[in-house]
Amino acid sequence: DETVSVGRYRLPAEAARAILYLTKHTAPSLNRLPRIAAHLKRFRPLLERRREVQKGAIAWWHLHWPREERLFVEPRILSVQMGRVPQFAYAVRRTFVGFSVNVVTRREEAAWSLPALTAMLNSSWAAGWFERNAKHRGVHLEINGNVLRQFPLPPFAADVDAELVGH
């Protein structure tokens, strides 16, 4: 599972597994992807039963509801949704992840930089906040998008951002 690979401040140098990101844009046809077509052939009967395929909205090999590709290629923060402790990693290289990993992007230029935000989210102060505000599932915290949106960011300060990033 890719969630094991994402940790506090770290991503693996290379992915242990691959995700097929097949959309109308990335794979309009399987003609040029014979190995992928052969791999998916055994799943075709199941994939053809999906509602969007039956309606003709997507081809049987396309992802059901793909996230926008920019979420995997622009600078972002990756966050494991379920873990014993909050785990956030800043990513700049292409990193495709499944739905068990949150993807946080920067909304406005005046906001905290993503590396500084990563430092804040991995802090002991944030860990305490998540402990109080995230859903507990056994020994794990569920840090989903709703919880992340509620996280109380301090007002932006350029000098603090630079200090957190180490510049």
Side-chain angles (χ1 to χ4, degrees), residues 31-104:
N31 293 340
R32 300 175 90 176
L33 305 167
R35 290 180 63 196
I36 290 174
H39 170 73
L40 292 176
K41 185 177 181 179
R42 65 185 166 138
F43 303 107
R44 186 173 181 163
L46 176 66
L47 295 171
E48 285 182 333
R49 290 197 299 258
R50 295 179 297 165
R51 182 184 64 223
E52 282 72 14
V53 174
Q54 301 249 327
K55 291 164 105 179
I58 61 173
W60 67 267
W61 63 87
H62 288 152
L63 287 168
H64 197 86
W65 288 308
R67 289 175 172 174
E68 295 175 51
E69 187 174 6
R70 70 174 185 79
L71 296 175
F72 305 115
V73 298
E74 292 178 359
R76 66 223 163 276
I77 299 170
L78 301 177
S79 160
V80 177
Q81 283 193 26
M82 294 284 287
R84 292 180 186 272
V85 295
Q87 300 171 77
F88 297 88
Y90 176 60
V92 291
R93 65 178 158 78
R94 294 173 65 91
T95 312
F96 288 78
V97 294
F99 283 109
S100 60
V101 176
N102 294 307
V103 179
V104 178

Side-chain angles (χ1 to χ4, degrees), residues 103-122:
V103 179
V104 178
T105 57
R106 192 168 179 193
R107 287 193 176 176
E108 55 189 61
E109 288 303 316
W112 293 96
S113 69
L114 290 174
L117 185 54
T118 303
M120 280 188 253
L121 292 167
N122 278 322

Side-chain angles (χ1 to χ4, degrees), residues 6-10 76-80 84-91 102-106 112-131 133-134 141 143-154 160-161 164-165:
V6 177
R8 285 182 82 230
Y9 296 107
R10 80 172 162 74
R76 66 223 163 276
I77 299 170
L78 301 177
S79 160
V80 177
R84 292 180 186 272
V85 295
Q87 300 171 77
F88 297 88
Y90 176 60
N102 294 307
V103 179
V104 178
T105 57
R106 192 168 179 193
W112 293 96
S113 69
L114 290 174
L117 185 54
T118 303
M120 280 188 253
L121 292 167
N122 278 322
S123 71
S124 57
W125 171 78
W129 187 89
F130 287 121
E131 182 68 32
N133 293 280
L141 292 173
I143 300 175
N144 58 34
N146 290 330
V147 172
L148 286 171
R149 280 188 280 284
Q150 294 171 22
F151 185 77
L153 288 174
V160 175
D161 190 286
L164 286 171
V165 176

